[in-house]
Amino acid sequence: AHIAGLVAAGCHPSPVGHAHVVTSSTHKTLRGPRGGFVLCDAAFANKIDKAVFPGMQGGPLMHVIAAKAVAFQEALLPEFAYYQQAVVDNASTLAQELTSLGFRLVSGGTDNHLVLVDLRSINITGRDAELALERACISVNRNSIPFDPLPPNVTSGIRLGTPAVTTRGLGRSEMKEIARMISRVLSNLGNDEVLAEVCQQVEGITREFPVPKLVCRA
């Protein structure tokens, strides 16, 4: 589900041809509407169709089906491949900058759109980091790490992703700036003045890179 857009653009190995059945969401990196799809070998198609409808699926929503069609069509365009490569490049830059700032990353880095940060070396929980960064206008998810000693509602890590900021046009230099802002917040937990200053930095970036306007195509 998370890597579907990267797979479609050729930026990540595809499970198709190796697995008999492949499922995915249509949002996340594929950047379509909230929903999903199933790909399978022909031998399983009838059984899966009968299990999904009328067995499990409710009434289909026509606007969501249309939005999926648009997302699939966009995934065929050269621009989509450029976008996905930029997503991967941004994640790599973010990971490298966080590492240079002293953070430990699970797996040592990333080869997709996600960066998982192990916070144990700085003695901060994922929950505390998530809440502090939220106050500084930076959205992240607390996330468990392998063999995490803390419960899932606390965690020892945070998860960062680059698809949304890449859609807004942010690049490698902004990724480095974001890493430095994250480091500053996590080094100053409870310092309201620092959190407010970082929030102003974030607002400056979002003004420079606004959400793209939707363009209706005939």
Side-chain angles (χ1 to χ4, degrees), residues 83 86-87 89-90 162-178 181 202 205-211:
Y83 160 72
V87 168
D89 292 343
N90 280 344
T162 55
V165 292
T166 304
T167 294
R168 295 181 75 135
L170 279 69
R172 291 178 182 268
S173 62
E174 288 77 31
M175 294 304 105
K176 293 180 179 180
E177 185 177 358
I178 289 171
M181 288 190 291
V202 173
I205 292 175
T206 56
R207 284 194 297 270
E208 184 179 356
F209 297 93
V211 176

Side-chain angles (χ1 to χ4, degrees), residues 112-150:
N112 57 36
H113 64 298
L114 295 175
V115 178
L116 183 54
V117 184
D118 182 351
L119 299 171
R120 290 178 298 174
S121 63
I122 58 174
N123 199 30
I124 297 175
T125 68
R127 178 173 61 188
D128 289 343
E130 177 186 358
L131 294 174
L133 288 165
E134 182 178 3
R135 290 178 58 199
C137 304
I138 298 174
S139 296
V140 305
N141 290 106
R142 70 188 79 173
N143 207 100
S144 295
I145 61 173
F147 310 107
D148 200 326
L150 297 178

Side-chain angles (χ1 to χ4, degrees), residues 69-90:
V70 171
F72 294 153
Q73 191 271 336
E74 288 190 347
L76 295 171
L77 299 177
E79 294 86 349
F80 188 78
Y82 301 150
Y83 160 72
Q84 294 294 348
Q85 186 60 55
V87 168
V88 174
D89 292 343
N90 280 344

